[in-house]
Amino acid sequence: ASLPGNLAETFLTSLLLWESAGSIGATGIQSTVKVRKTTEDMILAIPLLSSFALPWLVKALKNIDTSTDGSDEFFSVLLKLVSSVDPVGNEAQLKDLGASVCFKLASYPGRISDTACTFNSTGVLCGCLKLLISLIEAGGNNFLVEGSPHILNTINV
């Protein structure tokens, strides 16, 4: 956290969302998952890093591509951080996360048509839905006040 600028934040989030370039075989996939899993373990093992990671990951969530397949560890560590923080002491961060989750859910591409067979990655969608549950359990609707109207507008309710 004492690295200049946003270097620590950029480094951590890029490792947590690590994806290999181009087509890779089974060994490459295993290596990619290992990098992400080791980064998750590092964040959770170092309390100082965990305290900095929550706002960094909330910020990173806003920029995650909904088509990414490499988000399991990102959402896993974010869920663990959310469940371990004091909701009262971290209310502003959790409200920011709630807004980010709602905006991400609203931006998730829907079906093109009833007959079109499209295969969108569901990792980001499932991760956001799990975060939504976690935020509701932590504070009811309190953490979703800002973002929930955006979802309602998106689905025309």
Side-chain angles (χ1 to χ4, degrees), residues 17 25 37 41 52 77 79 88 95 98 105 110 134 150:
L17 292 166
K37 182 64 180 153
D41 293 344
F52 281 97
V77 73
L79 281 162
V88 176
K95 281 184 175 182
L105 286 170
S134 183
H150 188 68

Side-chain angles (χ1 to χ4, degrees), residues 24-95:
I24 55 173
T27 303
I29 292 171
Q30 288 175 347
S31 296
T32 300
V33 171
K34 190 172 186 173
V35 167
R36 294 192 310 254
K37 182 64 180 153
T38 302
T39 304
E40 175 187 0
D41 293 344
M42 178 181 66
I43 292 168
L44 297 173
I46 303 171
L48 181 61
L49 188 54
S50 292
S51 67
F52 281 97
L54 181 58
W56 293 346
L57 298 180
V58 170
K59 182 179 169 186
L61 176 60
K62 296 172 185 176
N63 299 315
I64 287 181
D65 185 350
T66 56
S67 66
T68 186
D69 286 323
S71 62
D72 290 349
E73 294 78 11
F74 176 87
F75 284 105
S76 175
V77 73
L78 194 48
L79 281 162
K80 289 172 185 168
L81 292 174
V82 167
S83 68
S84 70
V85 298
D86 172 31
V88 176
N90 293 282
E91 183 176 359
Q93 288 179 347
L94 294 176
K95 281 184 175 182

